[in-house]
Amino acid sequence: MKIACLDLEGVLIPEIWINVAERTGIDALRRTTRDEPDYDRLMHGRLGILAEHGLGLADIQRVIATMSPLEGAREFVDWLRERFQVLILSDTFYEFAAPLMVQLGRPTLFCHRLETDASGRLTGYRIRLPDQKRRTVQALHELAFEVVAAGDSYNDTAMLGEAEVGILFRPPENVIREFPQFPVAHTYDELRAAFLTASLPER
């Protein structure tokens, strides 16, 4: 039995934090996991910037309400679900992703939770578990599943390496240079072909 594990931002939806940066004019929020491999450092920096500018969860959710999946993403997910069981593994938060998951047809999503105070100010976050993407693939292997995975950023590379087949989708050049072992797809048609032709060795 084969399972497709996909990252969310950059693969199926636009980068949420880049959209927040563009809408608020806070350029420092443009930094993502494509630029920073240390997720905790990245998130602590984001929380500090939001606090400095007096922005809370509702402000970010208003930006997300204007967003849609990437062009062709819903069709790709529908196509993939006809051939694989599909699991989205993301370092986003349920409080951010919910409306976008509806637009994608509600595939299963494993991600994290935000913490807020009574006023809606973001005070922290709860990671589902450390290194959750790689460890989810490990758990799937223990259940005798084979995995084909696709992602675009530093925080996806451990998942790609743990899967039988890992594919980079529209990654930045720095990630391509640092992880040349992974094939690269630039369009959903190329990603479909990569999933179809992925040869999964027997475990």
Side-chain angles (χ1 to χ4, degrees):
M1 182 67 70
K2 301 174 184 177
I3 292 186
C5 291
L6 303 176
D7 180 35
L8 182 61
E9 293 181 71
V11 175
L12 299 175
I13 68 171
E15 294 283 351
I16 290 171
W17 289 99
I18 290 177
N19 275 265
V20 174
E22 291 174 350
R23 290 288 297 271
T24 61
I26 304 171
D27 213 43
L29 290 174
R30 296 184 68 87
R31 192 166 178 79
T32 73
T33 53
R34 287 171 163 242
D35 312 297
E36 174 56 71
D38 188 324
Y39 185 73
D40 282 323
R41 179 184 302 166
L42 181 65
M43 275 305 303
H44 284 299
R46 287 167 170 169
L47 293 177
I49 292 165
L50 293 174
E52 178 185 345
H53 291 270
L55 296 175
L57 177 59
D59 299 297
I60 299 173
Q61 288 175 327
R62 276 193 287 273
V63 175
I64 294 168
T66 70
M67 295 172 58
S68 299
L70 295 170
E71 184 176 354
R74 172 62 188 266
E75 292 79 6
F76 172 73
V77 170
D78 290 345
W79 175 89
L80 198 62
R81 291 171 91 174
E82 293 176 358
R83 293 160 177 84
F84 292 79
Q85 296 188 68
V86 177
L87 181 58
I88 311 299
L89 302 179
S90 176
D91 281 326
T92 191
F93 304 93
Y94 287 112
E95 294 84 356
F96 289 177
L100 291 161
M101 298 307 292
V102 171
Q103 296 182 64
L104 288 169
R106 293 187 182 276
T108 300
L109 169 66
F110 290 176
C111 64
H112 312 305
R113 287 281 184 192
L114 288 166
E115 297 175 340
T116 61
D117 63 16
S119 70
R121 183 176 67 89
L122 290 167
T123 58
Y125 57 96
R126 296 196 305 276
I127 296 294
R128 177 160 301 280
L129 77 167
D131 198 13
Q132 70 130 356
K133 296 186 181 188
R134 182 183 63 82
R135 290 174 65 181
T136 299
V137 175
Q138 280 185 331
L140 292 170
H141 285 158
E142 292 175 9
L143 293 167
F145 290 105
E146 296 177 327
V147 177
V148 182
D152 71 319
S153 298
Y154 282 114
N155 65 328
D156 299 312
T157 54
M159 170 181 73
L160 303 187
E162 186 66 31
E164 277 78 6
V165 177
I167 307 157
L168 285 168
F169 182 65
R170 296 177 180 168
E173 285 299 322
N174 54 312
V175 173
I176 294 174
R177 285 194 304 270
E178 292 185 43
F179 299 93
Q181 67 269 39
F182 299 125
V184 178
H186 296 283
T187 67
Y188 287 120
D189 283 342
E190 290 178 0
L191 193 56
R192 286 185 181 92
F195 271 94
L196 284 177
T197 61
S199 67
L200 300 177
E202 292 187 4
R203 295 189 63 78

